[in-house]
Amino acid sequence: MEQCNPQINVRVHTEDFCVADEYGLLACNNQDGAVVNFVGKVRDFNDGSAVTDLTLEHYPGMTESVLMQISQQACDRWPLSKVTIIHRVGTLVLGEQIVFIGVTSAHRKAAFAACEFLIDFLKTKAPFWKLEAGDTGRKWVEAHDSDQQAAKMWQK
Amino acid sequence: MIQVLFFAQIRELLGSAKVEHTAENIDTAEALRAALAATDDKWAKVLASDKLLVAINQTMSQWDSPVKDGDEVAFFPPVTGG
């Protein structure tokens, strides 16, 4: 297991984030040759229904602590220098950014893998819930078995 | 007392975000769930969901995990962030 002393930055808030600013903060270290970012956005459909907006609820305190834990787990598995996770809460309209995950490492494979691990774990471990509004009213998004399976793949 | 929190559709279905419950005769998360379910038919139905998850003091827990006076216990559905 690789050990590292990473800089972990976890934020949960209603405000939008600027990908360029986050990239700048991640990429300022010349020792890291690889910076991988993932951005999740509100899309216009889910399970075949049109979506107009999305409201995200979370469990203040526990959410931040889970995001710190999964960031630390990623740093225990891969040699990462920096991890940033930003997740928005509140009501977001079509096209808005929901989540940002950024990691840096000396090598691309570690950075790609860690970024994917983080989004898979976030989707199954962090206490966020989505309420969708669309043509047919409001409904809570159901958890997908495929997300659980994606997270389980990392336990092999 | 035990602070009990509800989130997402569990909160909506119960019409409650937070209650206090006495710690008397409560030793596990399951005992707390059963005691809350016994208060009302609607609560019995909502809290009977086999997908219900529980966190004790903001840590994901099992139904047989211990619960004691002063704890914060949260009930919620499977998470859907990201």
Side-chain angles (χ1 to χ4, degrees), chain A residues 66-151:
Chain A
V66 169
L67 296 179
M68 286 300 292
Q69 284 162 26
I70 64 176
S71 299
Q72 194 58 56
Q73 285 172 29
C75 293
D76 290 342
R77 289 179 73 136
W78 294 281
L80 309 178
S81 299
K82 294 185 183 175
V83 174
T84 298
I85 302 181
I86 305 170
H87 204 297
R88 295 177 68 196
V89 290
T91 298
L92 307 177
V93 300
L94 276 183
E96 279 200 82
Q97 301 178 138
I98 307 173
V99 59
F100 176 91
I101 295 182
V103 301
T104 73
S105 178
H107 303 289
R108 75 179 185 280
K109 284 195 174 178
F112 272 125
C115 190
E116 195 170 10
F117 166 93
L118 285 166
I119 188 65
D120 284 345
F121 267 50
L122 182 153
K123 285 182 88 73
T124 53
K125 312 274 186 208
F128 291 103
W129 302 274
K130 283 188 185 128
L131 179 64
E132 281 178 353
D135 300 344
T136 53
R138 296 157 74 244
K139 78 170 192 233
W140 289 95
V141 175
E142 295 272 332
H144 289 119
D145 290 343
S146 56
D147 290 335
Q148 287 290 343
Q149 281 157 11

Side-chain angles (χ1 to χ4, degrees), chain A residues 57-62 87 98-99 122-130 138 140-143, chain B residues 5-9 11-12 51 55 57-60 72-74 76-82:
Chain A
E57 178 173 336
H58 78 305
Y59 183 173
M62 180 173 172
H87 204 297
I98 307 173
V99 59
L122 182 153
K123 285 182 88 73
T124 53
K125 312 274 186 208
F128 291 103
W129 302 274
K130 283 188 185 128
R138 296 157 74 244
W140 289 95
V141 175
E142 295 272 332
Chain B
L5 307 179
F6 306 106
F7 290 97
Q9 59 267 61
R11 172 179 50 73
E12 279 195 343
K51 290 187 172 175
N57 298 326
Q58 305 193 351
T59 299
M60 284 301 296
E72 177 180 292
V73 180
F76 47 76
V79 304
T80 57

Side-chain angles (χ1 to χ4, degrees), chain B residues 2 4 13 17 19 33 38 41 46 49 59 64 66 70-72 78:
Chain B
I2 298 164
V4 190
L13 290 167
V19 295
R33 167 157 85 162
D41 284 351
V46 173
S49 164
T59 299
D64 60 358
D71 282 349
E72 177 180 292

Side-chain angles (χ1 to χ4, degrees), chain B:
Chain B
M1 296 299 274
I2 298 164
Q3 304 295 321
V4 190
L5 307 179
F6 306 106
F7 290 97
Q9 59 267 61
I10 301 299
R11 172 179 50 73
E12 279 195 343
L13 290 167
L14 295 178
S16 176
K18 184 177 183 180
V19 295
E20 285 198 332
H21 195 280
T22 172
E24 204 174 325
N25 299 322
I26 301 294
D27 54 357
T28 62
E30 180 57 44
L32 179 63
R33 167 157 85 162
L36 291 165
T39 58
D40 182 274
D41 284 351
K42 182 174 74 179
W43 285 48
K45 192 175 167 192
V46 173
L47 297 174
S49 164
D50 58 5
K51 290 187 172 175
L52 194 70
L53 300 177
V54 61
I56 302 171
N57 298 326
Q58 305 193 351
T59 299
M60 284 301 296
S61 301
Q62 305 298 315
W63 291 108
D64 60 358
S65 298
V67 168
K68 62 181 188 314
D69 193 26
D71 282 349
E72 177 180 292
V73 180
F75 295 102
F76 47 76
V79 304
T80 57

